[in-house]
């Protein structure tokens, strides 16, 4: 039998076939890329642009209304004031990406703060401070949380929860152990929340609303009515939100931050060019890297300038909360953008049924985001407790949760799921910090601050809804 010789395929035919299948292998010029960007904006793909524009407007407005707003001391204070809520918001982003909500993140962070403060004040003697009954119940909750994590195959959650049990039983003291214990408790809380939502099938709104009340009662049980646990006399705990890097350390942070961002952006860009994949024009990538480097350099220079009003004291350096937020931002961004787990989160948030049919373990993904959220809430609790210098029965209550959710939504994360970044929480957190700080400098009362903050959140939610409607109506 004579074999038919294979026909050669011309480049033109191959190009036509690729076009028929809708595979984009072309690169755009700088002008075309800019035009495409504005086309996507008109189609409703706004991202965090409205929040960035609003942040710029607010900074200009408060700078004109108050001569104290743009001082070096106030700029540093802005980062410290909003860091705790911003970190909680970074965890909430993972939950919102699935179209879920965690109303208990605030009081869960309060439980973590109470445990950390008790561990420090009582010299790691939680049994003596809680009493045998409450102490045993507390251990059972941690162990059960680890068991639920194992049942759902969330191994990191199980290990961290069990680590908390070990720390409690061994009685190791010190502020670092207290902070680690707080994170372990937050992880165990997330294991419980995730199990109730993903395995039992209860709506996240109902589960987390109930747990909001439960954790509020736990805080009261731990601290007592009208009680306060002071932690400001611990140098380590106090420095978390109130300390600064040295001048040399601040510039090292700049080199690592700006250099790492440049290496990641340029490395990915030239790697895609080498493989013949579509990427942004090189001038745009270089410009973006240059702008970030210049802004970071100016901010570092300003923050390393002495901002003390007392000639006998020198206050200079980047606040410790800045590298904490940056590290969490890098970890969260890498997780969502560069890992299979992150892609699964976006897939489940975009279409849960399609994700299930594609072989994704949807219940595990749904449960795991609550573990991340509560763990981030514990870190946020450490930061805001350090800023205040104490923990009381209202820890994590009041507006903590509302501001954290608001930060994520204002930054551009959609309440409908499938759209958002960890960076959104940082931008939204800055917006809320500027609003609170600026109105405070103008001597506005709490009522005005709440009204303005609520209106900003309402505007952000409206922009999200309108942009989704516009994107749905845009031609494919």
């Amino acid at each position: 039998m004579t074999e038919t010789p294979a026909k050669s395929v011309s480049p033109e035919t191959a190009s036509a076939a690729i076009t028929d299948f809708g595979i984009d292998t072309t690169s755009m010029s700088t002008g075309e890329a800019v035009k495409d960007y504005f086309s996507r904006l008109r189609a409703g793909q706004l991202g965090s642009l409205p929040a960035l524009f609003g942040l710029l407007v607010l900074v200009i407005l408060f700078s004109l209304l108050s001569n104290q707003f743009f001082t070096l001391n106030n700029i540093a204070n802005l980062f410290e004031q909003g860091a705790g809520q911003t970190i909680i918001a970074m965890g909430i982003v993972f939950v919102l990406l699935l179209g879920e909500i965690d109303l208990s993140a605030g009081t869960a962070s309060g439980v973590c703060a109470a445990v950390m403060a008790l561990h420090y004040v009582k010299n790691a003697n939680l049994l003596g401070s809680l009493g045998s009954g409450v102490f045993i119940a507390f251990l059972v909750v941690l162990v059960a949380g680890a068991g639920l994590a194992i049942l759902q195959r969330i191994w990191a959650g199980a290990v961290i929860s069990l680590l908390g049990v070990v720390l409690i039983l061994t009685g190791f003291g010190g502020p670092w152990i207290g902070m680690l214990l707080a994170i372990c408790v937050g992880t165990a809380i997330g294991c419980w929340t995730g199990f109730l939502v993903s395995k039992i099938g209860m709506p996240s709104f109902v589960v987390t609303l109930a747990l909001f009340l439960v954790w509020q009662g736990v805080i009261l049980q731990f601290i007592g009515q009208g009680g306060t646990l002071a932690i400001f006399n611990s140098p380590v705990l106090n420095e978390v939100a109130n300390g600064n890097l040295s001048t040399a350390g601040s510039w090292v942070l700049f080199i690592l931050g700006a250099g790492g961002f440049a290496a990641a952006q340029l490395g990915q860009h030239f790697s895609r060019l080498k493989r013949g994949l579509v990427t942004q024009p090189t001038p745009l990538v270089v410009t973006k890297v240059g702008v970030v480097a210049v802004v970071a350099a100016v901010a570092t220079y300003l923050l390393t300038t002495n901002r003390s009003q007392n000639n006998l004291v020198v206050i200079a350096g980047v606040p410790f909360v800045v590298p904490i937020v940056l590290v969490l931002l890098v970890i969260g961004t890498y997780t969502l953008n560069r890992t299979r787990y992150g892609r699964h989160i976006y897939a489940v948030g975009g279409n849960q049924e399609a994700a299930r049919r594609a072989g994704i373990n949807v219940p595990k993904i749904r449960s795991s985001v609550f573990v991340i959220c509560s763990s981030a809430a514990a870190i946020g609790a450490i930061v805001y407790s350090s800023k205040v210098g104490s923990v009381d029965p209202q820890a994590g209550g009041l507006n903590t949760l509302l501001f954290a959710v608001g930060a994520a939504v204002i930054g551009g994360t959609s309440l409908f799921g499938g759209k958002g970044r960890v960076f959104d929480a940082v931008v939204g957190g800055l917006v809320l910090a500027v609003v609170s700080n600026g109105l405070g400098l103008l001597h506005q009362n709490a009522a005005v601050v709440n009204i303005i903050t609520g209106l900003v959140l309402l505007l952000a939610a409206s922009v999200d809804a309108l942009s989704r409607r516009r994107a749905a109506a845009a031609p494919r």
Side-chain angles (χ1 to χ4, degrees):
M1 184 175 180
T2 305
E3 294 184 0
T4 303
K7 296 182 180 180
S8 61
V9 180
S10 65
E12 292 79 6
T13 304
S15 176
I18 291 174
T19 302
D20 289 340
F21 281 99
I23 303 174
D24 187 4
T25 60
T26 60
S27 296
M28 292 183 291
S29 65
T30 301
E32 290 171 335
V34 173
K35 184 178 179 181
D36 177 69
Y37 174 72
F38 283 104
S39 297
R40 286 187 282 113
L41 289 182
R42 288 193 295 271
Q45 301 178 33
L46 301 178
S48 58
L49 184 62
L52 289 171
F53 177 75
L55 179 63
L56 178 62
V57 171
L58 288 171
V59 168
I60 295 174
L61 176 63
F62 286 126
S63 298
L64 296 175
L65 295 177
S66 172
N67 55 8
Q68 296 294 319
F69 180 81
F70 222 69
T71 60
L72 294 179
N73 195 43
N74 192 58
I75 292 174
N77 192 42
L78 267 175
F79 292 116
E80 297 169 353
Q81 280 183 332
Q85 294 171 346
T86 299
I87 292 172
I88 298 176
M90 294 167 79
I92 289 177
V93 166
F94 285 81
V95 176
L96 293 179
L97 283 174
L98 299 190
E100 306 282 0
I101 189 67
D102 189 351
L103 300 176
S104 66
T107 51
S109 72
V111 172
C112 300
V115 171
M116 177 187 69
L118 276 174
H119 184 272
Y120 169 72
V121 172
K122 303 298 182 180
N123 296 317
N125 183 18
L126 293 181
L127 175 59
S129 59
L130 295 178
S132 58
V134 177
F135 179 79
I136 293 173
F138 180 44
L139 284 180
V140 169
V141 169
L142 293 183
V143 174
L148 295 177
I150 293 173
L151 180 65
Q152 299 169 94
R153 300 174 64 184
I154 305 175
W155 308 119
V159 171
I160 297 174
S161 298
L162 289 176
L163 176 60
V165 176
V166 172
L167 293 176
I168 292 172
L169 293 179
T170 53
F172 290 124
W176 291 104
I177 299 298
M179 288 188 284
L180 179 58
L181 179 58
I183 297 174
C184 295
V185 172
T187 301
I189 288 175
C191 294
W192 275 95
T193 308
F195 175 79
L196 293 173
V197 172
S198 66
K199 288 295 186 180
I200 303 300
M202 299 171 64
S204 59
F205 180 88
V206 176
V207 171
T208 57
L209 178 60
L211 290 178
F212 171 88
L213 299 174
V214 170
W215 303 137
Q216 199 168 48
V218 170
I219 298 170
L220 187 60
Q221 177 67 45
F222 281 1
I223 299 178
Q225 184 71 40
T228 300
L229 301 174
I231 59 174
F232 61 86
N233 53 354
S234 168
V236 173
L237 294 177
N238 183 65
E239 288 289 296
V240 171
N242 300 292
N244 305 292
L245 294 171
S246 65
T247 299
S250 300
W251 285 109
V252 168
L253 175 66
F254 161 74
I255 294 172
L256 292 176
F261 179 78
Q265 292 292 316
L266 295 176
Q268 182 182 20
H269 172 72
F270 288 112
S271 175
R272 293 182 66 87
L273 282 180
K274 184 178 179 180
R275 297 177 184 178
L277 301 175
V278 176
T279 184
Q280 290 182 330
T282 302
L284 287 182
V285 177
V286 173
T287 300
K288 180 166 63 175
V289 169
V291 169
V292 171
V294 170
V295 171
V298 172
T300 303
Y301 171 77
L302 292 175
L303 291 173
T304 51
T305 303
N306 183 19
R307 50 184 182 270
S308 174
Q309 298 178 353
N310 187 343
N311 295 330
L312 301 177
V313 179
V314 175
I315 302 177
V318 175
F320 282 134
V321 294
V322 173
I324 292 174
V325 171
L326 287 179
V327 168
L328 294 175
L329 175 62
V330 170
I331 293 174
T333 301
Y334 180 83
T335 299
L336 288 177
N337 294 347
R338 304 297 294 274
T339 67
R340 184 175 63 176
Y341 172 71
R343 291 192 292 271
H344 286 179
I345 289 178
Y346 282 114
V348 174
N351 191 318
Q352 191 172 128
E353 179 60 22
R356 185 188 65 80
R357 295 190 179 211
I360 297 175
N361 189 342
V362 174
K364 180 179 178 180
I365 296 296
R366 293 182 68 204
S367 182
S368 63
V369 296
F370 287 97
V371 177
I372 293 174
C373 180
S374 294
S375 300
I379 300 175
I382 296 170
V383 173
Y384 74 64
S385 298
S386 171
K387 182 61 181 175
V388 176
S390 63
V391 179
D392 59 37
Q394 297 299 322
L398 301 177
N399 293 327
T400 301
L401 171 70
L402 300 180
F403 280 16
V405 174
V409 176
I410 289 170
T413 299
S414 176
L415 286 167
F416 302 96
K419 187 183 74 172
R421 302 171 298 170
V422 179
F423 178 71
D424 297 341
V426 178
V427 176
L430 282 174
V431 170
L432 290 179
V434 167
V435 170
S436 178
N437 180 273
L439 292 177
L441 292 176
L442 296 177
H443 306 291
Q444 299 296 322
N445 57 33
V448 175
V449 174
N450 287 342
I451 291 172
I452 299 298
T453 303
L455 291 176
V456 171
L457 177 57
L458 184 62
L459 178 61
S462 301
V463 170
D464 176 35
L466 292 174
S467 64
R468 286 180 62 86
R469 181 183 300 178
R470 191 173 184 85
R476 302 289 179 181

